């Protein structure tokens, strides 16, 4: 495929990233996404909704507390700080590379096109795995919540299928509509958690009062911390989506960095504070026992009812459904844009790289993503597997590991991209921060692989099978890129550079 027309004179260097100085951007081509449709607030909603704060805090945080007890709040804070360091270099590079396949483009520009292609296949797999897992969780939450409210049981796969239809339609329509829906869902789920936190504070905490000792870094020496990091780092997955929407953002040189920092900072502080409130609601001596016992799944709901009232707990049961839906929609949109980017650049069938002339959405990519999600739901249903403990947790394990791997490579790519020319950026941002983030993320990868069973509850053989697609797909992607280089050198030279001239 040919690169879209640039907004100014084309550079003779195919890897040039200098901003064009001539005139306004040209009208988008027939296969271009809707340029200038998304603002900073929209991006923040996409990113934070993808993180699903209510699902993370009510559905996953008790598991982290069960593993590591009082160390959980510090675990969320430390994970957030690591990703802030990562974001320093990530957002610096976003000023020069704008591509709907964000990680793929970043890694390709910093570490070479073949490496970028390998990472693209991994990223596509990871986003798909997370999206289909969230869809199954949405069906599972909805089945339980609807039965509690009405006494009528409707099978989870029916809810998941209905949710998929709604998500597919929203993905096909203009991206701004998805942003509005995500914004409403996000505000409501954050508000109900604020109500819980206000209730705990108003009562001065649980049996032991407010225990500030649980925020001490010394807590990280407690057993189970390694497994906890699988969950705490995974709670931020999706924040990097700010760069995925760079082609559709207004003034992306400002929008993307602002949205990234706002999202990561908010999530880090909100997760840390909420986890601390959960522990205080039960008392630091009892919280871990409750979380690891039979009451663990209902831990946050029970505390909300006690400190804020039954109405708040009932609202939380409903809003966790909308939280899962919003997260699924956000990851569905992200995965579809990876399909679009790779189809546009020849790494997947070219039809994936087209958009709807009416909505400017990647229509074929949306349909493809929807078909994959439907297939997983059907297989789960026919196989009789549990949608939460198998489809959700297993696919989340693969997806989280894949995204962390992409983040580590992207951090290294930032260093590679700026190594010879810092382009006016300070060294702490494009040298020190990326290398520190890469090292920290590499440690996280080791911890995730070593303690994946704590997340999946599966055997070592199953966990190995969940990890195996990541290196295999990376090798396949490298092979595809090298094949393109051998057969079509000009097409290979365009890999990762499409739309970069808009920067």
């Amino acid at each position: 495929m040919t690169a879209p027309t640039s907004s100014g004179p084309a550079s003779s260097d195919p890897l040039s990233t200098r901003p064009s100085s001539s005139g306004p951007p040209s009208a988008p081509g027939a296969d271009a996404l809707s340029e200038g449709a998304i603002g900073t607030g929209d991006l923040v909603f996409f990113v934070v909704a993808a993180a699903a704060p209510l699902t993370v805090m009510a559905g996953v945080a008790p598991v982290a507390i069960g593993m590591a007890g009082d160390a959980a709040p510090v675990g969320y804070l430390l994970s957030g700080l690591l990703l802030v360091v990562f974001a320093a270099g990530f957002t610096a590079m976003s000023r020069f590379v704008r591509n709907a396949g964000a990680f793929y483009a970043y890694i390709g520009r910093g570490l070479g096109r073949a490496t970028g292609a390998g990472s693209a296949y991994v990223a596509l797999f990871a986003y798909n795995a997370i999206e289909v897992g969230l869809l199954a969780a949405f069906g599972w939450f909805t089945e339980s919540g609807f039965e509690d409210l009405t006494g009528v049981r409707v099978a989870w796969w029916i809810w998941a299928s209905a949710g998929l239809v709604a998500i597919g339609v929203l993905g096909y329509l203009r991206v701004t509509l998805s942003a509005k829906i995500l914004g409403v869902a996000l505000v409501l789920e954050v508000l109900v958690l604020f109500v819980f936190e206000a209730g705990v504070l108003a009562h001065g905490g649980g049996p032991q009062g407010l225990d500030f000792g649980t925020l001490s870094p010394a807590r990280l020496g407690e057993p189970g911390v390694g497994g906890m990091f699988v969950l705490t780092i995974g709670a931020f997955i999706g924040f990097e989506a700010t760069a995925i929407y760079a082609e559709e953002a207004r003034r992306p040189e400002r929008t993307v960095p602002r949205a990234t920092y706002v999202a990561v900072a908010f999530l880090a502080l909100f997760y840390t504070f909420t986890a601390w409130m959960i522990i205080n609601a039960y008392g630091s001596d009892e919280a871990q026992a409750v979380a690891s016992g039979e009451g663990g799944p209902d831990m946050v709901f029970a505390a909300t009812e006690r400190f804020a009232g039954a109405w708040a707990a009932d609202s939380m049961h409903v809003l966790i459904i909308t939280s899962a839906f919003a997260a699924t929609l956000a990851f569905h949109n992200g995965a579809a844009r990876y399909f679009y980017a790779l189809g546009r650049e020849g790494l997947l069938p070219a039809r994936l790289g087209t958009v709807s002339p009416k909505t400017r959405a990647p229509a074929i990519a949306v349909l493809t993503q929807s078909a994959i999600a439907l297939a997983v739901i059907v297989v789960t249903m026919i196989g009789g597997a549990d949608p939460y403990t198998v489809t959700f947790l297993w696919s989340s394990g693969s997806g989280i590991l894949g995204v962390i791997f992409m983040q580590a490579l992207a951090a290294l790519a930032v260093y590679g991209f700026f190594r010879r020319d810092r382009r006016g950026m300070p060294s702490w941002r494009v040298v020190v921060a990326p290398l520190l983030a890469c090292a920290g993320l590499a440690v996280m990868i080791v911890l995730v692989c070593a303690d994946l069973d704590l997340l999946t509850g599966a055997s070592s053989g199953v966990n190995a099978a969940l990890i195996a697609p990541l290196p295999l797909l990376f090798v396949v992607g490298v092979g595809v890129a090298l094949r393109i280089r051998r057969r079509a050198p000009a097409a290979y030279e365009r890999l990762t550079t499409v739309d970069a001239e808009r920067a």
Side-chain angles (χ1 to χ4, degrees), residues 22-338:
S22 62
S26 61
D31 289 332
L33 296 168
S34 182
E35 191 173 350
I38 301 175
T40 301
D42 297 328
L43 273 179
V44 172
F45 287 145
F46 271 119
V47 171
V48 181
L54 180 56
T55 302
V56 167
M57 288 291 97
V60 181
V63 181
I65 294 170
M67 289 178 184
D70 293 351
V74 183
Y76 284 108
L77 182 60
L78 186 61
S79 296
L81 290 174
L82 174 61
L83 294 179
V84 167
V85 174
F86 169 79
F90 185 70
T91 56
M93 197 165 177
S94 71
R95 296 184 58 185
F96 302 94
V97 180
R98 294 170 196 161
N99 188 300
F103 278 152
Y104 148 69
Y106 284 34
I107 295 168
R109 301 295 292 280
L111 300 179
R113 295 176 177 85
T115 304
S119 69
Y121 282 54
V122 174
L124 187 61
F125 171 81
Y127 273 82
N128 273 273
I130 294 172
E131 191 262 342
V132 298
L134 284 168
L135 182 61
F138 164 75
W140 187 82
F141 285 133
T142 308
E143 176 187 318
S144 175
F146 188 78
E147 186 174 7
D148 288 342
L149 292 173
T150 67
V152 178
R153 182 181 178 274
V154 179
W156 71 270
W157 59 268
I158 296 177
W159 291 114
S161 300
L164 179 59
V165 171
I167 287 166
V169 170
L170 289 169
Y172 181 80
L173 298 176
R174 292 190 181 276
V175 70
T176 49
L177 178 59
S178 291
K180 289 180 174 63
I181 291 174
L182 290 171
V184 172
L186 174 63
V187 169
L188 291 174
E189 63 181 286
V190 169
L191 280 177
V192 76
L193 284 170
F194 276 146
V195 168
F196 156 69
E197 293 161 356
V200 176
L201 288 174
H203 286 80
Q208 300 169 335
L210 295 177
D211 184 359
F212 290 92
T214 59
L215 298 175
S216 170
R219 303 289 186 177
L220 293 174
E222 297 181 4
V225 167
M228 175 201 66
F229 277 119
V230 178
L231 302 174
T232 58
I233 195 74
F236 293 84
I237 295 300
F239 86 90
E240 72 287 340
T242 50
I244 292 176
Y245 295 98
E247 292 182 37
E248 301 163 86
R250 294 190 294 273
R251 302 187 71 181
E253 73 281 357
R254 295 187 179 183
T255 303
V256 171
R258 285 178 180 175
T260 304
Y261 282 120
V262 169
V264 176
F266 170 78
L267 288 173
L269 295 174
F270 187 69
Y271 286 157
T272 302
F273 184 71
T274 305
W276 182 56
M277 286 289 96
I278 295 171
I279 290 174
N280 275 285
Y282 288 89
S284 57
D285 292 339
E286 297 294 330
Q288 186 170 15
V290 173
S292 56
E294 293 183 0
D298 293 322
M299 184 180 189
V300 178
F301 300 102
T304 301
E305 182 172 359
R306 176 185 171 192
F307 289 97
W311 70 270
D314 290 341
S315 299
M316 188 175 285
H317 276 292
V318 173
L319 290 174
I320 198 170
I321 296 172
T322 62
S323 173
F325 178 86
T328 308
L329 173 59
F331 275 101
H332 188 282
N333 283 340
R337 278 154 180 77
Y338 264 100

Side-chain angles (χ1 to χ4, degrees), residues 93 110-111 410-420 430-432 434-435:
M93 197 165 177
L111 300 179
L412 191 60
V414 172
Y415 168 75
F417 183 77
F418 290 102
R419 182 169 60 90
R420 295 180 179 175
V430 297
V431 178
V432 178
L435 292 179

